[in-house]
Every structure is written in C-alpha cells, then in structure tokens.
Amino acid sequence: MNKRTIAATIIIVLLAATACSLESLYGSLIPDPDKEGEQVTTPEPDTPSGIIQEEGYYLESGNPMEYFSIDVTEAEIGEGTLILTMSDGSIQEYPMMDGMILLGSDILTVKHEVGESIAIAKDGIEPLVFRYGRR
C-alpha cells in the first residue's frame, strides 16, 4: 500500500469515529443506571396472536336466514350494489336503486351510515344490522 491509501483510510476511520458516539452504536448494550430495575415491556400487538384483522361491516343483529337462503356474515356497499359475504366465503351482489333492493317479491330497504353501520330491513322482520369494526 502506498502512503496516500493509508492516510485516506486513517482519515475515513477518524471521520467515522467522530461522526457517531459509542452510545448511539452500542446504546442498547450499555446499561443505563437511571433505568436499572425498570422492567422492559414490549407492546402487545393490536390483534390476537398477530393475525391481521380486517375492517368491515360485520353482522351484529338480525337473522340473515329470514332474508337470504344462506347465512350472511359481512356487508359492503359498492357502486349501486349491496355486496354480501356469506359464511362459506361466497359473495353475492344485489343491484340497489335509491336504497332499495328487489328480492323476489320482497323489497328490502338499505340504510348506510359510512363508518358506522349498514341496516337491511324488510316489513315485519327484525332488520339485519352490520356494524363497522374489525374481525
């Protein structure tokens, strides 16, 4: 090695050493006398066992079997449609006009409060209420 390479290496090492302190490099390994005796706790995840929870409108009350032929677990409002997710994972879409759905000879009314709830009602039957939340 020539003298210029050695000098450049020494300068780089000195600059690197002065640019950061040992505490910033090894701070987690050096015990802090002010914090001795404190127990370090790690925050628990927001979801049980680390499973990612999805936000959506989930069934809170009512009997979906009185409205549809299969158990409904989740609702969603699309562009001019009511989108329902069934318990078996299948998805059904129903065209909606002015907050109403024609289902056979029945007319269902749909009320949507964004970020709050979706309610589906039919005369004489308890409405289906889907609340916004995580599952």
Side-chain angles (χ1 to χ4, degrees):
M1 282 190 175
N2 64 28
K3 292 181 182 181
R4 285 186 182 179
T5 306
I6 294 173
T9 304
I10 290 172
I11 291 173
I12 291 172
V13 168
L14 288 175
L15 287 173
T18 58
C20 59
S21 67
L22 287 178
E23 186 174 349
S24 66
L25 288 174
Y26 303 106
S28 62
L29 299 176
I30 300 171
D32 186 356
D34 295 335
K35 293 185 179 181
E36 281 187 32
E38 289 182 18
Q39 185 175 0
V40 177
T41 59
T42 56
E44 294 186 22
D46 291 339
T47 59
S49 69
I51 297 172
I52 297 174
Q53 294 182 342
E54 295 180 21
E55 293 181 353
Y57 295 90
Y58 298 101
L59 183 65
E60 180 181 77
S61 64
N63 183 359
M65 298 302 278
E66 293 179 333
Y67 288 82
F68 309 100
S69 61
I70 191 166
D71 196 21
V72 178
T73 59
E74 184 178 354
E76 181 180 340
I77 300 291
E79 206 169 301
T81 60
L82 173 68
I83 304 162
L84 299 175
T85 303
M86 309 302 169
S87 59
D88 64 358
S90 64
I91 294 176
Q92 294 284 333
E93 293 187 24
Y94 297 93
M96 188 171 55
M97 180 177 253
D98 296 326
M100 291 191 238
I101 296 171
L102 182 60
L103 188 64
S105 62
D106 295 324
I107 296 176
L108 308 180
T109 57
V110 179
K111 293 184 182 177
H112 181 213
E113 293 180 37
V114 178
E116 294 291 325
S117 65
I118 296 174
I120 303 170
K122 182 166 80 169
D123 286 339
I125 298 177
E126 179 186 0
L128 296 177
V129 178
F130 297 85
R131 286 274 175 223
Y132 187 78
R134 294 178 187 245
R135 177 175 67 155

